[in-house]
Amino acid sequence: MHNFQAQDHFAEGAQYIAGRLTKGTSGRSHAVVDPATGDEVHRYELAGEKDVDAAVAAAARAFPEWAGATPGERSDAMHRFAGVLAERAEEFAQAESLQCGKPIKLSREFDVPGTVDNAAFFAGAARHLQGQSAGEYSGDHTSYVRREPIGVVGSIAPWNYPLQMAAWKVLPAIAAGNTIVLKPAELTPFTSLLFARAATEAGIPDGVVNIVSGAGRDAGERLVGHPDVAMTSFTGSTGVGKRVAEIATSTVKRLHLELGGKAPFVVFDDADLDAAVHGAVAGALINTGQDCTAATRAYVQRPLYDAFVDGVAALMESVRLGDPFAPDTDLGPLISHVHRDRVAGFVDRARSYARVVTGGEALDHPGAFYKPTLIADAAQDSEIVQSEIFGPVLVVLPFDSDEEGIRLANDTPYGLAASAWSRDVFRANRATREIKAGCVWVNDHIPILSEMPHGGYKASGYGKDMSAYSFEEYTQIKHVMFDNTAVVRKDWHRTIFGDR
């Protein structure tokens, strides 16, 4: 049984502004529901526009001091932050599983340690914000490049990985010297609030990290359109991302978008079949399929197709659904009954044109559970193949030539992640070159690293989370040029006035 009591942690409110919890002022409340039971576990007052304004003002006040700190000072504070997160690991895991319904073993072994590692990585990276080294490129001048923080960042994170997404937004931003206002999904505010409070306990100044827990149309749109927010970073669906872009561009903000995905899983006929089967089930079912990089479309070269379908179906049927806090539970519920019904709708519509090999039904249970589902015999242009389902559903299709497999892998609007399965290094290398995605795994699917960038192609957005590349999102580049001649009248002046 879990022991995280949200009402004890957030009795003062679910907004974290200038280093303290406060209540929202929208006049509306929202219930956080345990998706495994359907029970309300906490009710809080949603943020309104006044709360967003207060959070942005707090971030703006904190910016000069934080941006003016030395890289070493920011690094030391972030190392302490990583230490606080590590000390509170179990508390974070309990809160994450309660609000999301994810199995406690996933929270303990993936979400929380990944977040601690991110914090440790960016604590070190804070010292490495160099620009291009100095050089005399014109002959008469010395030029160099500075990286400078942008200002107040307004970020919006989704509900599927609330803790990790808070880290991905907050850590590179503050490591680069920015301050931030983060809006988590109103369904899952707990770990974002705990994360911000841990930053304060680590000695990061009040106002550097702020949280507004509110609805997208109120708090979210106010944050994105706020005139004092210099940059917006958004993770979520492509449809909402388009709306975010419309609002952000009206004030000419820096914009970073990590949007939807429909990851292909390409199995060539020389692949290790057992490895591919296990990889497909793990890649499709992680976080109950609520992962924008999850394996959703398996393309299997025809000689392995039937054996792959049989193997995946058998392994899916062995997956254990149940109480997220039971140590042997493999798969938890979807985030809500509304979302479960959305996933079921995709599968039910597919019955008219495809074959449900296994799964395809909800559990007779109060929670929002849905069985792992494998679908075969769908057409490439069908809804189940082209649309992001965001649930424990894998579609498998055959292909003949390598060219066809790669073409089918690229045949959706998305390009976030993909994998290729082959023992042939040349075949695998070709796939990594020709598949249009921000990450292509070979003989694996899902692992992420703090040192490596995460971000997409095409309708999956632009910009990178994690890694040193994320500083390109959260810093401004400034060219500084010094005259080295001390000559009063430069030769180029004659192009404006006078003669040589």
Side-chain angles (χ1 to χ4, degrees), residues 346-389:
F346 277 102
V347 176
D348 290 343
R349 290 189 295 274
R351 296 180 196 277
S352 65
Y353 57 79
R355 174 169 58 100
V356 177
V357 180
T358 190
E361 60 183 353
L363 289 188
D364 183 15
H365 189 280
F369 291 91
Y370 196 80
K371 290 183 178 180
T373 300
L374 180 65
I375 294 177
D377 304 333
Q380 175 66 16
D381 61 355
S382 62
E383 178 191 53
I384 204 78
V385 173
Q386 292 292 322
S387 298
E388 187 173 32
I389 300 168

Tab-separated table of all heavy atoms in Angstrom, residues 346-389:
chain	number	residue	atom	x	y	z
A	346	PHE	N	-10.246	3.539	-30.542
A	346	PHE	CA	-9.357	3.222	-31.661
A	346	PHE	C	-9.409	1.725	-31.982
A	346	PHE	O	-9.503	1.336	-33.154
A	346	PHE	CB	-7.916	3.613	-31.321
A	346	PHE	CG	-7.571	5.055	-31.548
A	346	PHE	CD1	-7.506	5.938	-30.492
A	346	PHE	CD2	-7.310	5.528	-32.823
A	346	PHE	CE1	-7.181	7.265	-30.683
A	346	PHE	CE2	-6.979	6.857	-33.038
A	346	PHE	CZ	-6.918	7.730	-31.963
A	347	VAL	N	-9.327	0.910	-30.942
A	347	VAL	CA	-9.308	-0.540	-31.148
A	347	VAL	C	-10.645	-1.023	-31.691
A	347	VAL	O	-10.700	-1.838	-32.632
A	347	VAL	CB	-8.946	-1.261	-29.842
A	347	VAL	CG1	-9.032	-2.783	-30.028
A	347	VAL	CG2	-7.546	-0.858	-29.378
A	348	ASP	N	-11.731	-0.521	-31.150
A	348	ASP	CA	-13.057	-0.966	-31.597
A	348	ASP	C	-13.300	-0.587	-33.058
A	348	ASP	O	-13.878	-1.372	-33.824
A	348	ASP	CB	-14.138	-0.365	-30.710
A	348	ASP	CG	-14.135	-0.963	-29.308
A	348	ASP	OD1	-13.529	-2.043	-29.126
A	348	ASP	OD2	-14.716	-0.344	-28.387
A	349	ARG	N	-12.864	0.586	-33.450
A	349	ARG	CA	-13.033	0.975	-34.867
A	349	ARG	C	-12.171	0.120	-35.779
A	349	ARG	O	-12.550	-0.168	-36.924
A	349	ARG	CB	-12.705	2.462	-35.046
A	349	ARG	CG	-13.734	3.397	-34.410
A	349	ARG	CD	-13.499	4.836	-34.800
A	349	ARG	NE	-12.237	5.379	-34.307
A	349	ARG	CZ	-12.060	5.921	-33.102
A	349	ARG	NH1	-13.062	5.950	-32.228
A	349	ARG	NH2	-10.881	6.417	-32.758
A	350	ALA	N	-11.013	-0.315	-35.273
A	350	ALA	CA	-10.111	-1.128	-36.096
A	350	ALA	C	-10.653	-2.523	-36.357
A	350	ALA	O	-10.233	-3.191	-37.319
A	350	ALA	CB	-8.747	-1.225	-35.421
A	351	ARG	N	-11.589	-2.987	-35.549
A	351	ARG	CA	-12.133	-4.336	-35.746
A	351	ARG	C	-12.790	-4.495	-37.116
A	351	ARG	O	-12.879	-5.612	-37.641
A	351	ARG	CB	-13.147	-4.664	-34.656
A	351	ARG	CG	-12.563	-4.725	-33.253
A	351	ARG	CD	-13.635	-5.058	-32.217
A	351	ARG	NE	-13.201	-4.755	-30.863
A	351	ARG	CZ	-12.449	-5.550	-30.113
A	351	ARG	NH1	-12.057	-6.721	-30.599
A	351	ARG	NH2	-12.104	-5.194	-28.890
A	352	SER	N	-13.228	-3.406	-37.693
A	352	SER	CA	-13.909	-3.485	-38.987
A	352	SER	C	-12.936	-3.691	-40.147
A	352	SER	O	-13.360	-4.053	-41.248
A	352	SER	CB	-14.733	-2.223	-39.221
A	352	SER	OG	-13.886	-1.086	-39.337
A	353	TYR	N	-11.631	-3.443	-39.909
A	353	TYR	CA	-10.680	-3.562	-41.018
A	353	TYR	C	-9.391	-4.300	-40.641
A	353	TYR	O	-8.502	-4.463	-41.472
A	353	TYR	CB	-10.327	-2.179	-41.576
A	353	TYR	CG	-9.753	-1.203	-40.584
A	353	TYR	CD1	-8.418	-1.267	-40.187
A	353	TYR	CD2	-10.544	-0.190	-40.043
A	353	TYR	CE1	-7.889	-0.361	-39.286
A	353	TYR	CE2	-10.022	0.719	-39.135
A	353	TYR	CZ	-8.695	0.641	-38.763
A	353	TYR	OH	-8.184	1.543	-37.864
A	354	ALA	N	-9.262	-4.729	-39.388
A	354	ALA	CA	-8.047	-5.410	-38.948
A	354	ALA	C	-8.406	-6.521	-37.965
A	354	ALA	O	-9.572	-6.693	-37.610
A	354	ALA	CB	-7.084	-4.409	-38.314
A	355	ARG	N	-7.399	-7.263	-37.527
A	355	ARG	CA	-7.608	-8.402	-36.639
A	355	ARG	C	-6.982	-8.117	-35.276
A	355	ARG	O	-5.791	-7.795	-35.182
A	355	ARG	CB	-6.962	-9.648	-37.254
A	355	ARG	CG	-6.975	-10.896	-36.379
A	355	ARG	CD	-6.565	-12.131	-37.179
A	355	ARG	NE	-5.257	-12.014	-37.787
A	355	ARG	CZ	-4.143	-12.557	-37.281
A	355	ARG	NH1	-4.202	-13.268	-36.160
A	355	ARG	NH2	-2.983	-12.417	-37.906
A	356	VAL	N	-7.799	-8.211	-34.239
A	356	VAL	CA	-7.278	-8.077	-32.874
A	356	VAL	C	-6.758	-9.446	-32.445
A	356	VAL	O	-7.542	-10.376	-32.216
A	356	VAL	CB	-8.360	-7.561	-31.905
A	356	VAL	CG1	-7.816	-7.511	-30.478
A	356	VAL	CG2	-8.857	-6.183	-32.336
A	357	VAL	N	-5.464	-9.584	-32.347
A	357	VAL	CA	-4.839	-10.876	-32.060
A	357	VAL	C	-4.980	-11.222	-30.583
A	357	VAL	O	-5.279	-12.370	-30.226
A	357	VAL	CB	-3.355	-10.855	-32.472
A	357	VAL	CG1	-2.692	-12.212	-32.175
A	357	VAL	CG2	-3.215	-10.486	-33.939
A	358	THR	N	-4.762	-10.244	-29.730
A	358	THR	CA	-4.935	-10.442	-28.292
A	358	THR	C	-5.289	-9.120	-27.652
A	358	THR	O	-5.011	-8.057	-28.198
A	358	THR	CB	-3.661	-11.032	-27.640
A	358	THR	OG1	-3.952	-11.425	-26.302
A	358	THR	CG2	-2.521	-10.032	-27.634
A	359	GLY	N	-5.921	-9.181	-26.480
A	359	GLY	CA	-6.308	-7.964	-25.772
A	359	GLY	C	-7.553	-7.344	-26.374
A	359	GLY	O	-8.505	-8.030	-26.738
A	360	GLY	N	-7.557	-6.030	-26.429
A	360	GLY	CA	-8.675	-5.328	-27.028
A	360	GLY	C	-9.871	-5.149	-26.130
A	360	GLY	O	-10.992	-4.979	-26.603
A	361	GLU	N	-9.652	-5.169	-24.818
A	361	GLU	CA	-10.777	-4.977	-23.909
A	361	GLU	C	-10.299	-4.427	-22.570
A	361	GLU	O	-9.150	-4.621	-22.163
A	361	GLU	CB	-11.544	-6.280	-23.688
A	361	GLU	CG	-10.719	-7.396	-23.084
A	361	GLU	CD	-11.526	-8.682	-22.951
A	361	GLU	OE1	-12.745	-8.665	-23.200
A	361	GLU	OE2	-10.925	-9.708	-22.584
A	362	ALA	N	-11.210	-3.727	-21.905
A	362	ALA	CA	-10.937	-3.207	-20.572
A	362	ALA	C	-11.127	-4.303	-19.542
A	362	ALA	O	-11.843	-5.285	-19.774
A	362	ALA	CB	-11.859	-2.028	-20.277
A	363	LEU	N	-10.484	-4.147	-18.396
A	363	LEU	CA	-10.714	-5.078	-17.297
A	363	LEU	C	-12.018	-4.733	-16.583
A	363	LEU	O	-12.419	-3.570	-16.522
A	363	LEU	CB	-9.571	-4.986	-16.286
A	363	LEU	CG	-8.203	-5.534	-16.672
A	363	LEU	CD1	-7.288	-5.510	-15.449
A	363	LEU	CD2	-8.294	-6.948	-17.226
A	364	ASP	N	-12.647	-5.738	-16.040
A	364	ASP	CA	-13.813	-5.522	-15.187
A	364	ASP	C	-13.300	-5.099	-13.815
A	364	ASP	O	-13.111	-5.916	-12.903
A	364	ASP	CB	-14.648	-6.806	-15.095
A	364	ASP	CG	-15.908	-6.603	-14.262
A	364	ASP	OD1	-16.271	-5.432	-14.012
A	364	ASP	OD2	-16.521	-7.614	-13.865
A	365	HIS	N	-13.040	-3.798	-13.686
A	365	HIS	CA	-12.315	-3.292	-12.524
A	365	HIS	C	-12.638	-1.815	-12.384
A	365	HIS	O	-12.850	-1.117	-13.392
A	365	HIS	CB	-10.808	-3.494	-12.742
A	365	HIS	CG	-9.960	-3.204	-11.542
A	365	HIS	ND1	-9.612	-1.927	-11.174
A	365	HIS	CD2	-9.382	-4.026	-10.630
A	365	HIS	CE1	-8.855	-1.969	-10.085
A	365	HIS	NE2	-8.707	-3.237	-9.739
A	366	PRO	N	-12.663	-1.266	-11.181
A	366	PRO	CA	-12.955	0.161	-11.024
A	366	PRO	C	-11.908	1.078	-11.644
A	366	PRO	O	-12.201	2.238	-11.990
A	366	PRO	CB	-12.993	0.351	-9.498
A	366	PRO	CG	-13.221	-1.006	-8.940
A	366	PRO	CD	-12.583	-1.963	-9.882
A	367	GLY	N	-10.679	0.588	-11.782
A	367	GLY	CA	-9.622	1.402	-12.359
A	367	GLY	C	-9.697	1.458	-13.869
A	367	GLY	O	-10.454	0.726	-14.521
A	368	ALA	N	-8.863	2.328	-14.462
A	368	ALA	CA	-8.871	2.561	-15.907
A	368	ALA	C	-7.919	1.601	-16.629
A	368	ALA	O	-7.069	2.012	-17.418
A	368	ALA	CB	-8.493	4.014	-16.197
A	369	PHE	N	-8.077	0.313	-16.389
A	369	PHE	CA	-7.189	-0.695	-16.964
A	369	PHE	C	-7.639	-1.110	-18.361
A	369	PHE	O	-8.838	-1.206	-18.645
A	369	PHE	CB	-7.152	-1.930	-16.062
A	369	PHE	CG	-6.466	-1.709	-14.754
A	369	PHE	CD1	-7.182	-1.289	-13.636
A	369	PHE	CD2	-5.104	-1.919	-14.631
A	369	PHE	CE1	-6.549	-1.091	-12.417
A	369	PHE	CE2	-4.462	-1.718	-13.412
A	369	PHE	CZ	-5.187	-1.301	-12.305
A	370	TYR	N	-6.643	-1.386	-19.219
A	370	TYR	CA	-6.917	-1.888	-20.563
A	370	TYR	C	-5.859	-2.927	-20.892
A	370	TYR	O	-4.662	-2.710	-20.674
A	370	TYR	CB	-6.885	-0.746	-21.584
A	370	TYR	CG	-7.525	-1.097	-22.910
A	370	TYR	CD1	-8.911	-1.057	-23.060
A	370	TYR	CD2	-6.756	-1.477	-24.004
A	370	TYR	CE1	-9.509	-1.373	-24.260
A	370	TYR	CE2	-7.349	-1.802	-25.217
A	370	TYR	CZ	-8.724	-1.751	-25.339
A	370	TYR	OH	-9.329	-2.072	-26.540
A	371	LYS	N	-6.291	-4.057	-21.417
A	371	LYS	CA	-5.370	-5.160	-21.659
A	371	LYS	C	-4.375	-4.837	-22.776
A	371	LYS	O	-4.714	-4.140	-23.748
A	371	LYS	CB	-6.154	-6.418	-22.030
A	371	LYS	CG	-6.956	-7.018	-20.887
A	371	LYS	CD	-7.647	-8.311	-21.329
A	371	LYS	CE	-8.412	-8.953	-20.177
A	371	LYS	NZ	-9.080	-10.211	-20.601
A	372	PRO	N	-3.153	-5.357	-22.668
A	372	PRO	CA	-2.191	-5.222	-23.772
A	372	PRO	C	-2.792	-5.781	-25.053
A	372	PRO	O	-3.368	-6.879	-25.054
A	372	PRO	CB	-1.002	-6.065	-23.298
A	372	PRO	CG	-1.119	-6.089	-21.809
A	372	PRO	CD	-2.592	-6.086	-21.527
A	373	THR	N	-2.660	-5.029	-26.125
A	373	THR	CA	-3.404	-5.332	-27.349
A	373	THR	C	-2.469	-5.390	-28.553
A	373	THR	O	-1.650	-4.491	-28.766
A	373	THR	CB	-4.484	-4.255	-27.583
A	373	THR	OG1	-5.377	-4.244	-26.459
A	373	THR	CG2	-5.272	-4.518	-28.848
A	374	LEU	N	-2.612	-6.444	-29.335
A	374	LEU	CA	-1.867	-6.616	-30.583
A	374	LEU	C	-2.860	-6.681	-31.728
A	374	LEU	O	-3.822	-7.458	-31.680
A	374	LEU	CB	-1.027	-7.892	-30.539
A	374	LEU	CG	-0.193	-8.193	-31.794
A	374	LEU	CD1	0.881	-7.126	-32.002
A	374	LEU	CD2	0.444	-9.583	-31.700
A	375	ILE	N	-2.599	-5.884	-32.751
A	375	ILE	CA	-3.483	-5.810	-33.917
A	375	ILE	C	-2.680	-6.144	-35.170
A	375	ILE	O	-1.556	-5.654	-35.350
A	375	ILE	CB	-4.120	-4.414	-34.026
A	375	ILE	CG1	-5.062	-4.177	-32.841
A	375	ILE	CG2	-4.865	-4.246	-35.349
A	375	ILE	CD1	-5.682	-2.797	-32.806
A	376	ALA	N	-3.240	-6.964	-36.026
A	376	ALA	CA	-2.590	-7.351	-37.282
A	376	ALA	C	-3.544	-7.107	-38.450
A	376	ALA	O	-4.735	-6.846	-38.256
A	376	ALA	CB	-2.185	-8.818	-37.236
A	377	ASP	N	-2.996	-7.187	-39.652
A	377	ASP	CA	-3.767	-7.124	-40.905
A	377	ASP	C	-4.414	-5.759	-41.149
A	377	ASP	O	-5.436	-5.659	-41.839
A	377	ASP	CB	-4.852	-8.213	-40.939
A	377	ASP	CG	-4.279	-9.609	-40.747
A	377	ASP	OD1	-3.097	-9.810	-41.093
A	377	ASP	OD2	-4.995	-10.489	-40.241
A	378	ALA	N	-3.833	-4.702	-40.593
A	378	ALA	CA	-4.334	-3.346	-40.867
A	378	ALA	C	-3.625	-2.790	-42.098
A	378	ALA	O	-2.484	-3.150	-42.401
A	378	ALA	CB	-4.096	-2.437	-39.670
A	379	ALA	N	-4.293	-1.891	-42.789
A	379	ALA	CA	-3.685	-1.218	-43.933
A	379	ALA	C	-2.810	-0.066	-43.454
A	379	ALA	O	-3.077	0.538	-42.408
A	379	ALA	CB	-4.768	-0.697	-44.868
A	380	GLN	N	-1.781	0.253	-44.232
A	380	GLN	CA	-0.856	1.314	-43.857
A	380	GLN	C	-1.555	2.659	-43.671
A	380	GLN	O	-1.171	3.444	-42.810
A	380	GLN	CB	0.256	1.436	-44.914
A	380	GLN	CG	1.217	2.593	-44.711
A	380	GLN	CD	2.074	2.465	-43.455
A	380	GLN	OE1	2.185	1.398	-42.877
A	380	GLN	NE2	2.676	3.572	-43.040
A	381	ASP	N	-2.589	2.915	-44.450
A	381	ASP	CA	-3.254	4.220	-44.357
A	381	ASP	C	-4.412	4.230	-43.366
A	381	ASP	O	-5.170	5.200	-43.285
A	381	ASP	CB	-3.745	4.673	-45.732
A	381	ASP	CG	-4.768	3.720	-46.337
A	381	ASP	OD1	-5.046	2.657	-45.747
A	381	ASP	OD2	-5.292	4.055	-47.433
A	382	SER	N	-4.564	3.179	-42.568
A	382	SER	CA	-5.678	3.102	-41.625
A	382	SER	C	-5.405	3.967	-40.389
A	382	SER	O	-4.263	4.290	-40.056
A	382	SER	CB	-5.932	1.657	-41.204
A	382	SER	OG	-4.796	1.121	-40.544
A	383	GLU	N	-6.467	4.289	-39.680
A	383	GLU	CA	-6.354	5.134	-38.493
A	383	GLU	C	-5.445	4.521	-37.443
A	383	GLU	O	-4.625	5.214	-36.820
A	383	GLU	CB	-7.747	5.356	-37.891
A	383	GLU	CG	-7.741	6.194	-36.611
A	383	GLU	CD	-9.091	6.172	-35.897
A	383	GLU	OE1	-9.617	5.065	-35.628
A	383	GLU	OE2	-9.589	7.273	-35.593
A	384	ILE	N	-5.552	3.221	-37.236
A	384	ILE	CA	-4.800	2.566	-36.172
A	384	ILE	C	-3.301	2.620	-36.432
A	384	ILE	O	-2.488	2.574	-35.500
A	384	ILE	CB	-5.284	1.102	-35.987
A	384	ILE	CG1	-4.971	0.592	-34.579
A	384	ILE	CG2	-4.714	0.181	-37.052
A	384	ILE	CD1	-5.911	1.066	-33.522
A	385	VAL	N	-2.906	2.733	-37.704
A	385	VAL	CA	-1.492	2.814	-38.072
A	385	VAL	C	-1.004	4.256	-38.078
A	385	VAL	O	0.142	4.544	-37.703
A	385	VAL	CB	-1.259	2.165	-39.451
A	385	VAL	CG1	0.178	2.382	-39.937
A	385	VAL	CG2	-1.579	0.680	-39.396
A	386	GLN	N	-1.850	5.185	-38.467
A	386	GLN	CA	-1.412	6.568	-38.682
A	386	GLN	C	-1.561	7.472	-37.457
A	386	GLN	O	-0.830	8.458	-37.330
A	386	GLN	CB	-2.201	7.181	-39.848
A	386	GLN	CG	-1.895	6.568	-41.197
A	386	GLN	CD	-0.483	6.881	-41.676
A	386	GLN	OE1	0.020	7.980	-41.482
A	386	GLN	NE2	0.158	5.907	-42.309
A	387	SER	N	-2.485	7.191	-36.562
A	387	SER	CA	-2.794	8.109	-35.466
A	387	SER	C	-2.145	7.666	-34.161
A	387	SER	O	-2.005	6.470	-33.886
A	387	SER	CB	-4.309	8.195	-35.264
A	387	SER	OG	-4.936	8.710	-36.405
A	388	GLU	N	-1.777	8.646	-33.340
A	388	GLU	CA	-1.194	8.345	-32.033
A	388	GLU	C	-2.297	7.903	-31.077
A	388	GLU	O	-3.239	8.655	-30.811
A	388	GLU	CB	-0.469	9.573	-31.481
A	388	GLU	CG	0.294	9.280	-30.210
A	388	GLU	CD	1.143	10.446	-29.742
A	388	GLU	OE1	0.747	11.611	-29.967
A	388	GLU	OE2	2.199	10.199	-29.150
A	389	ILE	N	-2.168	6.696	-30.558
A	389	ILE	CA	-3.196	6.111	-29.691
A	389	ILE	C	-2.888	6.388	-28.223
A	389	ILE	O	-3.770	6.643	-27.423
A	389	ILE	CB	-3.308	4.593	-29.946
A	389	ILE	CG1	-3.689	4.338	-31.409
A	389	ILE	CG2	-4.332	3.958	-29.008
A	389	ILE	CD1	-3.545	2.888	-31.833
